[in-house]
Amino acid sequence: MTATQTAPEWTAEELTELAELQTRNESLPEDAPRGLLSVRLSILTEDTTSPARQELDLRRYANREGIRVVGVARDLGVSATKKAPWERKELGDWLNNRIPEFDLILFWKLDRFIRRISDLHEVIKWCEKFGKNLLSLNDTLDLSSPMAQAMVTFIAAVAEIEAANTKTRVSSHWEYTKQQDQWRIGKPSYGYTTARVDGKLRLVQESEQARAVRYMYRAAMRGVPANRIAKVLDRAKVPTYSNRKWNNQQILRTLRNPAVKGIRTEGGTKATTYKSTPVLDKRGQEIRVTDEPILTGEEFEKVQAALAIRAKNKRHHEKNRRPTRFLGVMKHECGRNVNETNNYKSLSTGEIKEYRYLRCPDCRKPGFVIPDPEHAYSALAQAVFEALGDFEVIRREYARGDENRRERTRLEESIAYYMTGLEPGGRFDKSGFIREKAETTLDALMSDLGKIDPESTKDRWIYESTGITYSQHWKSGGIEAMERDLLSAGITFELSRQDDGEILGKLVIPHDVKERLIRMDNNWG
């Protein structure tokens, strides 16, 4: 069961306190430790700590400890057991791209930040590499020694056990619930909604969706392709699962789901290609959770047979299908991705000839078709080589400034010591050798201080040339390397058909393409 998490609302009192805490935060000195606040929540209920309370608690603590808050990573509706810290939308951006901007990560409780021991080990290694620290408001955390790290691991183990226990409780609840003839948990399948019937929560038909399912059934029985059914539903503005356009997979998933018969099912995860299976009672019978099924058992079996026949006819096509090259890069002028499609024609000799072509799935009649995919791929690659091939391949590395910071502090303290000593009445305020020696030492210290670049005392990104061009990189890495680079840089190749039938390709390059092409190391195992 999934839950949709909405942004939390702040009360007037909370907003007032937030403004006060932010004002106090801005008054902290520039050299104060810089803290990143991490706020995470899977599902907001009455028993959970709200994101607003988490953030206010963390800001109060930061002000007490003299930590200057430089940002807040809010990841709501995110499970810590399913997504590691570096995979989350907001926190992941800070951990991967904004490392020089903070010194420590502050969170409300360890299980709000992380729940898997393997993820914790990765974060500890990351902290050691980049000189960061972790602070928990409600746990004692310290990464300064191996023993301290072992204690942190122990706390994380407890959090992982708690998460496993929660999963066990949910599974146990589902095992009990799925045997009942009333609806207790989960989202009904497409075509149904919930209502009270004789005191029990049961499934009833959602009128508009149920009519759509009945149309899918009748069209499929006539042999209408799933993508044609999807277009009709789109034109009729029939709502889909998630307010997106209908596609053939949604049509097939709806018709192949036994839940359309009004029975309880389980499964339907991505690992099983969304295939749900009926739940059986102790006598081996399907458990009916509605009195008005959209499709009867007989109708369901008929449509499965019709879909199976159509799938069998397409099966030999699927064997030779290959992924579209430059998918996500090559686009039609309407903005949709251009896909490579296979067609087959039986010859008089009995052989089957294969035809490959590129098309836009939204622009078929009048069709936008390129009969020679290889020519289009070649034109794209040639345009990319001409526009970007001479660019240097730049790599981004992280440079820590703590060593130079310590050296600068040592020199500044030494300079202050000798300057004080040379003042009237100071320990070096004497004529002769002692004063000359102190002045010579002071000059040397000031010279050494002047050699330290102020930027080198900061944690920062440095950009170094690899000594090769992108032309050389793509020739050695092949078409796959070019595809990855173009996708990450947001470069597209727009195809359009002119009035005379000629296909025109235009390479669209973002203005900051050099920054987008910079190669970055993956810091996570």
Side-chain angles (χ1 to χ4, degrees):
M1 181 179 66
T2 59
T4 301
Q5 189 72 30
T6 58
E9 294 184 0
W10 289 63
T11 65
E13 293 79 5
E14 289 171 337
L15 289 173
T16 300
E17 184 178 5
L18 176 64
E20 293 174 354
L21 291 170
Q22 288 175 328
T23 301
R24 290 166 56 188
N25 178 74
E26 291 169 0
S27 66
L28 292 173
E30 283 294 321
D31 60 350
R34 300 166 300 165
L36 168 65
L37 308 187
S38 174
V39 177
R40 186 198 65 81
L41 199 63
S42 298
I43 301 175
L44 182 59
T45 68
E46 293 181 356
D47 299 325
T48 56
T49 305
S50 72
R53 179 186 161 192
Q54 287 187 44
E55 183 171 336
L56 289 175
D57 286 349
L58 293 173
R59 286 185 178 276
R60 293 188 200 106
Y61 177 84
N63 276 328
R64 286 197 305 270
E65 299 298 319
I67 299 171
R68 185 161 52 85
V69 177
V70 295
V72 183
R74 302 178 184 90
D75 292 293
L76 308 183
V78 176
S79 169
T81 56
K82 295 180 180 178
K83 280 192 176 290
W86 57 90
E87 296 173 334
R88 298 168 200 162
K89 184 176 180 180
E90 294 204 13
L91 183 58
D93 182 46
W94 284 89
L95 298 184
N96 292 305
N97 302 313
R98 305 180 65 177
I99 303 174
E101 299 178 33
F102 63 95
D103 302 311
L104 56 92
I105 305 172
L106 182 61
F107 40 87
W108 199 78
K109 203 171 186 295
L110 185 59
D111 63 4
R112 296 293 91 204
F113 180 68
I114 210 163
R115 273 190 181 268
R116 297 171 60 183
I117 296 178
S118 57
D119 292 345
L120 177 63
H121 288 163
E122 285 294 326
V123 171
I124 289 175
K125 288 192 295 184
W126 181 89
C127 287
E128 290 176 342
K129 178 178 179 179
F130 294 103
K132 309 300 180 184
N133 199 5
L134 304 177
L135 282 180
S136 171
L137 189 59
N138 293 291
D139 301 297
T140 302
L141 293 183
D142 183 10
L143 302 179
S144 60
S145 68
M147 181 59 72
Q149 293 178 13
M151 289 302 297
V152 174
T153 302
F154 173 75
I155 296 172
V158 173
E160 186 168 341
I161 292 170
E162 183 183 348
N165 290 338
T166 301
K167 182 178 180 180
T168 301
R169 289 194 297 271
V170 172
S171 299
S172 177
H173 178 56
W174 168 243
E175 287 299 320
Y176 167 76
T177 300
K178 73 181 184 180
Q179 293 294 326
Q180 309 302 308
D181 63 350
Q182 59 178 313
W183 196 264
R184 291 179 179 269
I185 188 173
K187 182 180 179 181
S189 62
Y190 188 81
Y192 292 100
T193 185
T194 57
R196 289 283 173 184
V197 179
D198 297 330
K200 293 183 178 181
L201 190 65
R202 301 271 285 175
L203 293 187
V204 296
Q205 292 186 18
E206 202 284 329
S207 58
E208 187 175 10
Q209 294 182 4
R211 284 198 303 272
V213 175
R214 292 294 304 177
Y215 167 75
M216 295 179 203
Y217 166 74
R218 292 191 298 269
M221 292 302 297
R222 297 197 307 269
V224 178
N227 53 9
R228 185 75 54 81
I229 298 173
K231 282 190 175 294
V232 172
L233 294 177
D234 272 337
R235 284 198 296 267
K237 298 183 179 179
V238 176
T240 64
Y241 297 90
S242 55
N243 296 323
R244 297 179 180 176
K245 286 189 173 184
W246 283 98
N247 58 49
N248 61 332
Q249 291 302 315
Q250 290 175 327
I251 302 297
L252 295 174
R253 195 184 310 162
T254 301
L255 291 176
R256 288 172 176 165
N257 187 355
V260 76
K261 298 186 292 180
I263 64 174
R264 189 180 300 285
T265 61
E266 62 182 348
T269 62
K270 193 170 184 178
T272 57
T273 62
Y274 301 103
K275 186 177 181 180
S276 298
T277 56
V279 175
L280 305 180
D281 61 17
K282 295 179 180 178
R283 294 174 297 174
Q285 301 295 317
E286 295 177 347
I287 301 172
R288 189 162 299 281
V289 287
T290 184
D291 297 324
E292 44 182 28
I294 300 174
L295 295 183
T296 65
E298 183 180 356
E299 289 173 327
F300 182 76
E301 295 303 325
K302 286 182 179 178
V303 78
Q304 301 315 301
L307 294 174
I309 291 173
R310 187 167 183 83
K312 184 178 181 181
N313 292 337
K314 285 188 171 183
R315 197 162 297 153
H316 71 281
H317 296 181
E318 301 293 335
K319 291 180 181 179
N320 298 323
R321 179 168 292 179
R322 67 180 184 185
T324 303
R325 294 179 184 173
F326 297 106
L327 186 62
V329 176
M330 189 172 287
K331 294 181 177 291
H332 184 224
E333 59 184 345
C334 70
R336 290 291 298 272
N337 289 333
V338 172
N339 301 322
E340 183 174 327
T341 305
N342 302 18
N343 245 349
Y344 299 85
K345 183 177 180 180
S346 298
L347 303 179
S348 57
T349 59
E351 299 178 11
I352 295 178
K353 186 173 181 180
E354 178 186 14
Y355 295 89
R356 297 185 185 274
Y357 57 91
L358 294 170
R359 67 174 178 83
C360 172
D362 270 1
C363 308
R364 293 187 179 182
K365 290 183 180 180
F368 171 79
V369 175
I370 300 178
D372 187 359
E374 295 301 329
H375 178 71
Y377 297 147
S378 177
L380 189 159
Q382 182 178 351
V384 170
F385 271 111
E386 291 176 356
L388 307 173
D390 292 336
F391 285 10
E392 279 189 300
V393 179
I394 305 297
R395 179 174 293 280
R396 186 183 75 172
E397 301 284 351
Y398 189 74
R400 293 176 56 177
D402 48 1
E403 183 175 344
N404 281 346
R405 282 198 299 272
R406 288 193 295 269
E407 178 63 11
R408 184 181 65 180
T409 300
R410 183 191 71 82
L411 290 171
E412 289 174 344
E413 291 174 350
S414 298
I415 289 170
Y417 171 78
Y418 279 99
M419 290 183 70
T420 302
L422 288 169
E423 292 177 353
R427 69 176 64 195
F428 303 125
D429 185 23
K430 302 173 184 177
S431 60
F433 174 78
I434 293 177
R435 184 177 184 88
E436 290 178 2
K437 188 66 175 178
E439 290 174 343
T440 302
T441 302
L442 178 61
D443 290 340
L445 290 171
M446 294 181 70
S447 175
D448 290 343
L449 181 62
K451 294 176 183 177
I452 296 179
D453 182 358
E455 288 298 313
S456 70
T457 64
K458 303 174 183 177
D459 293 346
R460 65 206 183 280
W461 295 117
I462 58 175
Y463 301 89
E464 298 180 344
S465 172
T466 59
I468 63 172
T469 63
Y470 272 99
S471 178
Q472 295 169 318
H473 167 61
W474 290 328
K475 286 178 181 178
S476 62
I479 203 74
E480 293 81 7
M482 179 182 285
E483 287 177 333
R484 287 193 299 269
D485 291 333
L486 297 183
L487 277 173
S488 65
I491 297 169
T492 58
F493 190 66
E494 292 185 0
L495 296 168
S496 60
R497 183 182 292 277
Q498 304 301 295
D499 294 337
D500 59 1
E502 184 182 0
I503 300 296
L504 180 66
K506 180 176 69 172
L507 192 66
V508 181
I509 302 175
H511 69 279
D512 57 345
V513 64
K514 288 189 176 181
E515 289 76 15
R516 291 175 178 236
L517 282 172
I518 291 173
R519 305 186 66 78
M520 307 171 191
D521 290 333
N522 179 17
N523 298 309
W524 307 98

